[in-house]
Amino acid sequence: LEEPGIHGIVDAFAAAARRALDAGFQIVEIHSAHGYLLHEFLSPLSNQRADCYGGSFENRTRVLLQVVRAVRGVWPEDLPVFVRISATDWIEGGWDLAESTELARQLKPLGVDLIDCSSGGLVPNVKIPVGPGFQVPFAPVIRRDAKVLTGAVGMIHTAQQADAIVDEGKADVVFLARELLRDPYFPLHAATELNRTTSWPVQYLRPAPEGSTPR
Ligand SMILES: Cc1cc2nc3c(=O)[nH]c(=O)nc-3n(C[C@H](O)[C@H](O)[C@H](O)COP(=O)(O)O)c2cc1C
């Protein structure tokens, strides 16, 4: 991948963000995790380049910073940009939490509103301590040390678990994947379980018949 190719990729991210805006999305998340291209640039294990995109931390993070600037250039100021990272490669000599924190520090002034703290995906067969909330500990460290909003993700299954993560200040939001596949109504069920009010999808709303008690 030569430099003109890299510039083309940066432009393609910006064009994708523009399409997302046109399609009506209100948040855009730049995927720099899970072994995808931007993560491959970040990690010293996959990034073997000898030019200004490889070697030092500054060089390995260069393309992501360029992507963020390009996306921010087309994305309205009042709408949020998230960046998903793998906070660690889970292996000695790989991308780690300290580098993630420094990256987050640098992304915030470029207009990144939230760091979505995932992990892994670059190196196969690494030992990952998979279990409830196993990736949650990354979010509070990055939140505290980079002073940026963070999201926690990974085996967050229950309303109480999700609520505690936000309530205890470990993260500003939680992201769910498989629990939402198991129970697409999880947010409504969680709100009921936690005695919170929430809004129903507008498509479900019907005017109540006159004289009836709305339910
Ligand atoms: C069917 C499926 C598809 C997924 N696709 C993506 C994806 O495209 N991009 C991504 O960043 N993560 C993807 N993930 C990972 C989830 O976003 C999430 O990080 C992961 O499943 C851990 O959260 P969970 O324990 O709540 O499922 C996917 C997960 C599942 C189950």
Side-chain angles (χ1 to χ4, degrees), residues 174-212:
V174 291
F175 296 103
L176 309 161
R178 285 164 291 183
E179 195 54 37
L180 291 175
L181 297 180
R182 289 181 204 106
D183 174 11
Y185 290 102
F186 180 86
L188 289 168
H189 291 150
T192 306
E193 222 177 305
L194 298 169
N195 284 323
R196 309 275 169 85
T197 50
T198 188
S199 53
W200 286 78
V202 285
Q203 293 88 338
Y204 291 11
L205 301 180
R206 294 286 180 278
E210 219 155 294
S212 71

Side-chain angles (χ1 to χ4, degrees), residues 29 31-34 36 84 116-119 131 133-135 152-157 175-182:
E29 177 168 80
H31 204 323
S32 187
H34 302 173
Y36 290 115
R84 173 166 265 200
D116 171 358
C117 303
S118 190
S119 79
F134 73 107
Q135 293 175 148
V153 63
M155 296 190 77
I156 299 168
H157 295 311
F175 296 103
L176 309 161
R178 285 164 291 183
E179 195 54 37
L180 291 175
L181 297 180
R182 289 181 204 106

Side-chain angles (χ1 to χ4, degrees), residues 28-111:
V28 73
E29 177 168 80
I30 297 166
H31 204 323
S32 187
H34 302 173
Y36 290 115
L37 183 69
L38 296 176
H39 184 187
E40 287 179 30
F41 272 91
L42 294 179
S43 176
L45 296 176
S46 46
N47 187 336
Q48 303 289 313
R49 299 181 71 97
D51 61 359
C52 70
Y53 288 96
S56 65
F57 173 84
E58 187 187 354
N59 286 355
R60 284 181 281 118
T61 55
R62 189 180 305 281
V63 71
L64 174 57
L65 268 53
Q66 288 174 345
V67 166
V68 166
R69 284 193 196 96
V71 168
R72 252 297 162 219
V74 300
W75 193 251
E77 238 174 81
D78 59 336
L79 294 181
V81 170
F82 296 177
V83 174
R84 173 166 265 200
I85 60 167
S86 285
T88 176
D89 285 335
W90 294 108
I91 191 167
E92 197 68 31
W95 178 260
D96 61 15
L97 182 57
E99 288 193 307
S100 294
T101 306
E102 181 51 34
L103 174 67
R105 247 183 237 123
Q106 297 189 15
L107 291 177
K108 188 181 171 183
L110 301 182

Side-chain angles (χ1 to χ4, degrees), residues 13-35:
F13 270 97
R18 210 177 294 116
R19 287 195 301 275
L21 185 67
D22 290 345
F25 286 94
Q26 295 190 306
I27 298 172
V28 73
E29 177 168 80
I30 297 166
H31 204 323
S32 187
H34 302 173

